Amino acid sequence: MAPSTQVRIIDQRTPEDRDRPFLPGAGRTWLLPFYDVFTRVAGVRALHERVVELAGIEPGQTVVDVGCGTGNLSFAVLAAQPSARVTGLDPDGAALRRAARKARRRSAALTLVQGYADRIPAEDASLDHVVSSLALHHVDDDGRIAFARDALRALRPGGRVTIVDFGGPAHKVEDAGHPTHRHGHSPVHALRRLTRLMPRRVADSPVVARNHGDGIVTLLADAGFGDAREVAHADHRFGRVTFVQATHPVN
């Protein structure tokens, strides 16, 4: 089978999941076509590369990217370790279809699963890594707790979860941009709207507030992970981002 055909999307949603709400990565469904441009401009690629570096993924290891969106973190994993077996998980079918097209263009072997963070597509103790980038703040309280517990279930002893998300001290965000033409749908207007929307959503979301301080560390520790800790942080234009890592206990 040619590498360019090794891309598939699996729908693991239950009938009850089909009406389950989720927040698109760009904040609005119609902004999805501009999402990759926005993330490049915003410097998100460097965050993905840092996650891969911190995770320490080795050749042939199994990885699930939770909240993969259009697949950028998954592609960063494959760029560093082409033989890694990577699965991207996201509830947004349109984003997954975009990820699949990108994977075919890159001849990247990638499995994509439509589903939610609280049901990671893996057998018990079968994964080497769970990674996630700027996705956890999209998930509500119950979903966050279920994600942490399911990551523990899916990882083998010694397996590792590595997360980057908004966290640390609260960041005051000013509303940039012009007060007029807020409802345009041209690419320029879309990108301007997205640059306004993202900082406000980060600042105002009660779920993001739960990431502040040691929120993600506590979430993983409470689920049963060993040595949950912040391993790095960075000052992004939208606020502080934290890199958190934890290991499934060996004993």
Side-chain angles (χ1 to χ4, degrees), residues 99-138:
R101 290 194 295 271
K102 289 162 63 176
R104 293 185 184 106
R105 288 197 301 268
R106 298 166 186 240
S107 295
L110 179 64
T111 297
L112 297 165
V113 176
Q114 186 171 7
Y116 292 82
D118 55 11
R119 198 164 76 254
I120 293 172
E123 299 295 326
D124 294 356
S126 64
L127 296 179
D128 297 296
H129 294 274
V130 171
V131 297
S132 183
S133 172
L134 304 181
L136 191 58
H137 70 276
H138 288 212

Side-chain angles (χ1 to χ4, degrees), residues 2-223:
S4 62
T5 65
Q6 294 178 4
V7 182
R8 55 182 179 152
I9 300 175
I10 300 168
D11 189 346
Q12 77 163 12
R13 295 173 300 168
T14 66
E16 292 77 16
D17 284 339
R18 302 204 177 252
D19 295 323
R20 186 173 171 181
F22 65 87
L23 181 65
R28 298 287 187 274
T29 301
W30 66 271
L31 287 170
L32 179 63
F34 314 115
Y35 181 72
D36 284 334
V37 174
F38 170 76
T39 57
R40 285 197 296 271
V41 171
V44 175
R45 179 176 178 178
L47 301 181
H48 294 157
E49 292 173 346
R50 184 66 169 140
V51 168
V52 175
E53 178 187 7
L54 291 168
I57 299 165
E58 298 179 0
Q61 288 190 323
T62 54
V63 184
V64 170
D65 174 9
V66 175
C68 68
T70 63
N72 294 324
L73 176 55
S74 294
F75 296 131
V77 171
L78 289 168
Q81 290 294 352
S83 67
R85 292 171 289 166
V86 181
T87 297
L89 171 68
D90 202 277
D92 189 341
L96 291 176
R97 288 188 291 274
R98 186 170 291 269
R101 290 194 295 271
K102 289 162 63 176
R104 293 185 184 106
R105 288 197 301 268
R106 298 166 186 240
S107 295
L110 179 64
T111 297
L112 297 165
V113 176
Q114 186 171 7
Y116 292 82
D118 55 11
R119 198 164 76 254
I120 293 172
E123 299 295 326
D124 294 356
S126 64
L127 296 179
D128 297 296
H129 294 274
V130 171
V131 297
S132 183
S133 172
L134 304 181
L136 191 58
H137 70 276
H138 288 212
V139 182
D140 63 20
D141 281 347
D142 290 342
R144 287 160 62 93
I145 293 169
F147 155 72
R149 291 174 177 170
D150 207 50
L152 186 72
R153 173 199 65 80
L155 284 166
R156 62 170 178 78
R160 189 176 298 153
V161 57
T162 307
I163 298 169
V164 61
D165 208 331
F166 300 106
H171 179 71
K172 182 179 179 180
V173 177
E174 302 296 335
D175 185 12
H178 299 287
T180 56
H181 309 298
R182 289 183 178 270
H183 301 290
H185 286 253
S186 71
V188 172
H189 283 125
L191 288 173
R192 286 176 178 170
R193 177 179 173 81
L194 190 53
T195 57
R196 291 193 300 265
L197 176 66
M198 287 288 288
R200 288 204 303 270
R201 194 176 78 218
V202 169
D204 298 340
S205 168
V207 176
V208 170
R210 295 181 184 97
N211 284 355
H212 293 159
D214 291 329
I216 300 175
V217 171
T218 300
L219 177 73
L220 296 177
D222 287 348

